[in-house]
């Protein structure tokens, strides 16, 4: 199963509006999921606002997750500043920021990639640390990749492909090969 940012299962097809829609996956039709506000690659800010207003607990849950994961880093940076040890801790904090951004998921990885080129917005060492997001995003498991391919295409992998490696060749913030 594919999971969205709130940990809910998302079907290969997406839902938009109140009625269940269908989409074609080759010759197979599937119902859109109720777990996303609009169809993939069709951003609709009004639908997104309505979707999240109707699910305040899911939005608050994700906010709590973000706060819990980032609080330690933020407090460490504040403590470094108060104790006057910013310069001696900057390399360690840079690596911690990279790990934090990576753990927060694809959206934060994309933001981190953008910030990695903006030393005018972040201390240069932090921006330099985020350059690791340009080419070194950790891959997801081969089993998960196979499951996503099978579900999204509605196929049996072993029947369609003569060989499909479980080991990724490369990975990035939005996919891997």
């Amino acid at each position: 199963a594919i999971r969205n940012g709130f940990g809910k299962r998302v079907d290969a097809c997406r839902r938009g509006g109140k009625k269940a829609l269908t989409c074609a996956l080759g010759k197979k039709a599937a119902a859109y999921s109720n777990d996303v506000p609009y169809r993939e690659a069709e951003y609709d800010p009004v639908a997104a606002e309505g979707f999240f207003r109707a699910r305040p607990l899911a939005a608050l849950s994700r906010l709590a997750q973000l706060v819990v994961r980032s609080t330690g880093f933020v407090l460490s940076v504040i403590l470094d500043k108060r104790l006057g040890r910013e310069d001696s801790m900057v390399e360690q904090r840079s690596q911690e920021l990279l790990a934090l951004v990576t753990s927060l998921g694809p959206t934060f990885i994309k933001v981190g990639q953008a910030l990695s080129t903006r030393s005018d917005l972040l201390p240069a060492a932090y921006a330099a640390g985020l350059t690791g997001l340009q080419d070194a995003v950790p891959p997801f498991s081969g089993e998960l990749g196979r499951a996503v391919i099978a579900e999204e295409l509605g196929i049996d992998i072993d029947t369609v492909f003569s060989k499909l490696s479980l080991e990724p060749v490369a990975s990035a913030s939005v996919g891997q090969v």
Side-chain angles (χ1 to χ4, degrees):
I2 302 168
R3 304 275 175 193
N4 67 11
F6 300 109
K8 300 245 182 187
R9 186 178 184 283
V10 178
D11 293 329
C13 293
R14 311 288 180 181
R15 174 184 144 73
K18 297 267 183 198
K19 292 183 178 178
L21 302 174
T22 59
C23 71
L25 292 176
K27 295 180 181 177
K28 181 180 175 186
Y32 283 107
S33 169
N34 292 324
D35 292 334
V36 292
Y38 43 80
R39 290 177 61 146
E40 189 173 329
E42 293 182 11
Y43 179 66
D44 181 349
V46 174
E49 181 180 359
F51 178 85
F52 290 109
R53 281 189 186 274
R55 294 164 178 78
L57 293 179
L60 287 173
S61 173
R62 178 61 173 157
L63 177 61
Q65 181 185 50
L66 297 173
V67 169
V68 167
R69 287 190 183 178
S70 60
T71 298
F73 174 77
V74 171
L75 291 176
S76 296
V77 170
I78 292 169
L79 188 61
D80 291 345
K81 189 172 189 99
R82 296 259 170 134
L83 297 176
R85 62 182 190 189
E86 287 176 284
D87 293 339
S88 64
M89 298 299 290
V90 72
E91 185 61 36
Q92 179 180 334
R93 297 295 176 241
S94 173
Q95 294 306 309
E96 290 171 358
L97 179 60
L98 175 63
L100 173 63
V101 169
T102 302
S103 75
L104 291 175
T107 300
F108 288 88
I109 290 171
K110 293 306 284 181
V111 170
Q113 287 173 333
L115 288 173
S116 73
T117 63
R118 298 295 308 266
S119 59
D120 59 322
L121 298 177
L122 282 179
Y126 289 6
L130 291 175
T131 60
L133 297 172
Q134 299 293 346
D135 59 3
V137 176
F140 52 83
S141 74
E143 290 82 16
L144 176 61
R146 289 176 65 94
V148 169
I149 292 169
E151 185 174 340
E152 291 219 0
L153 298 179
I155 61 169
D156 175 29
I157 299 257
D158 297 323
T159 304
V160 175
F161 297 100
S162 60
K163 182 178 179 185
L164 187 61
S165 171
L166 286 176
E167 296 300 318
V169 175
S171 63
S173 59
V174 294
Q176 71 187 32
V177 292

